[in-house]
């Protein structure tokens, strides 16, 4: 089976730089896949992507060395199994709040006897290889999102669940869960920032990977320096919006200066 490159990177202590695909398009997925990310996550929760979009996006990403991942919209076995069968090499699962939910998530990703994933890896066999079923339980990356009030009270039981490879922090929902306004790149003066560091500490204690979503490269770098193994920076949609706005602002600024320097 094709090795999971990013899982191996994290085992070797190398940080993974993850991109985020929220636009339901093979064109944007292809553009993102050629920019040098270690992995790309197709967002099926808050993005605009459903399965009919996700499959061709996975196929497009797989023409490169970038590892294809997906965030599912809920801890729902059917969706998890289906996107894994589509060739996804890792799942980011939202709203995992306790040990039982962590077990349900992991077992949906794993074939018996370790889980209850149903066999039928249609595209998984094409992307992963003929021996996919023999190694998928070990190669598929399983990241449980820590972002609810309940999860903050159950960190060790979630993180010690057999099969959980790591956790992933969604700072916006985490902030809401503790009574703060949602957003990325939380200031050091916020309670959310303290909770982020506490979650990271528990991940290290349980010897699992720690990932976090970031708004800027500066903050992502800071999180790597703090000890995070896996960092996401913004998304394709945010990059498109920011790039377009920068272009428009620069043009309007140039035209404004030209008008100011005009003589009549």
């Amino acid at each position: 089976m094709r090795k999971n490159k990013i899982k191996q990177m994290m085992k070797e202590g190398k940080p993974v730089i993850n991109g985020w695909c929220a636009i339901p398009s093979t064109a944007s997925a292809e553009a993102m896949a050629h920019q040098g990310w270690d992995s790309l996550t197709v967002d099926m929760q808050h993005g605009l992507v459903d399965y009919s979009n996700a499959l061709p996006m996975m196929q497009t990403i797989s023409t490169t060395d970038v590892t294809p991942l997906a965030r599912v919209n809920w801890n729902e076995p059917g969706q998890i199994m289906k996107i894994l069968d589509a060739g996804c090499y890792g799942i980011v699962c939202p709203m995992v709040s306790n040990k039982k939910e962590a077990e349900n998530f992991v077992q949906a990703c794993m074939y018996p006897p370790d889980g209850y994933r149903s066999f039928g890896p249609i595209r998984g066999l094409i992307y992963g290889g003929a021996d996919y079923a023999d190694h998928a339980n070990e190669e598929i990356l399983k990241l449980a999102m820590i972002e609810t009030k309940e999860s903050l009270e159950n960190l060790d039981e979630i993180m010690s669940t057999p099969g959980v490879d790591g956790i992933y922090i969604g700072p916006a929902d985490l902030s809401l869960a503790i009574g703060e306004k949602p957003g990325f790149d939380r200031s050091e003066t916020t309670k959310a920032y303290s909770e982020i560091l506490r979650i990271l500490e528990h991940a290290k204690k349980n010897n699992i990977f720690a990932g976090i979503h970031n708004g800027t490269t500066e903050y992502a770098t800071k999180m790597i320096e703090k000890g995070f193994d896996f960092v996401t920076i913004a998304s394709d949609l945010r990059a498109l919006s920011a790039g377009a706005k920068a272009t428009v602002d620069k043009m309007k600024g140039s035209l404004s200066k030209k008008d100011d320097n005009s003589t009549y």
Side-chain angles (χ1 to χ4, degrees), residues 5-238:
K5 180 186 71 175
I6 61 168
K7 198 168 183 178
Q8 189 60 39
M9 286 176 62
M10 290 189 284
K11 286 180 180 178
E12 295 172 356
K14 300 174 183 176
V16 170
I17 311 304
N18 178 62
W20 203 257
C21 294
I23 301 172
S25 167
T26 54
S28 58
E30 183 175 35
M32 289 286 282
H34 283 271
Q35 303 314 313
W37 304 96
D38 297 315
S39 59
L40 277 175
T41 299
V42 176
D43 187 6
M44 302 176 73
Q45 184 189 23
H46 291 308
L48 306 172
V49 181
D50 61 17
Y51 179 80
S52 62
N53 308 127
L55 172 59
M57 291 171 72
M58 292 284 169
Q59 293 171 311
T60 301
I61 293 167
S62 299
T63 62
T64 70
D65 291 332
V66 178
T67 303
L69 311 176
R71 177 168 71 171
V72 293
N73 61 26
W74 201 249
N75 191 358
E76 196 282 308
Q79 183 185 149
I80 291 171
M81 295 182 202
K82 195 169 182 69
I83 198 64
L84 287 175
D85 288 346
C88 175
Y89 251 44
I91 300 290
V92 179
C93 185
M95 301 290 184
V96 177
S97 297
N98 53 54
K99 186 177 184 66
K100 180 61 177 173
E101 292 179 358
E103 289 174 341
N104 289 343
F105 162 48
V106 167
Q107 290 171 15
C109 295
M110 302 178 79
Y111 293 121
D114 301 313
Y116 51 77
R117 181 182 173 188
S118 178
F119 185 77
I122 305 300
R123 188 174 170 273
L125 288 170
I126 298 172
Y127 179 70
D131 59 346
Y132 177 92
D134 297 330
H135 305 286
N137 286 4
E138 293 77 39
E139 293 298 331
I140 297 301
L141 180 67
K142 298 167 285 292
L143 299 179
M145 292 195 73
I146 302 295
E147 53 187 350
T148 68
K149 185 176 181 180
E150 183 182 355
S151 69
L152 294 174
E153 299 168 355
N154 297 311
L155 293 178
D156 285 329
E157 69 172 51
I158 292 170
M159 296 183 190
S160 63
T161 301
V164 169
D165 294 309
I167 55 86
Y168 187 80
I169 298 174
D173 276 320
L174 177 66
S175 297
L176 283 173
I178 58 177
E180 295 183 342
K181 291 185 177 181
F184 301 136
D185 299 2
R186 309 311 294 162
S187 163
E188 294 183 9
T189 61
T190 63
K191 185 179 178 182
Y193 184 82
S194 298
E195 288 298 309
I196 287 169
L197 295 187
R198 187 171 75 89
I199 295 167
L200 174 62
E201 180 183 347
H202 280 263
K204 295 301 181 184
K205 182 176 75 172
N206 285 279
N207 197 31
I208 63 172
F209 306 133
I212 186 169
H213 207 107
N214 308 271
T216 63
T217 55
E218 292 79 10
Y219 201 86
T221 300
K222 177 180 177 180
M223 292 297 100
I224 290 172
E225 292 170 350
K226 291 292 183 182
F228 278 90
D229 309 285
F230 180 101
V231 293
T232 301
I233 302 96
S235 69
D236 52 359
L237 184 59
R238 285 176 176 263

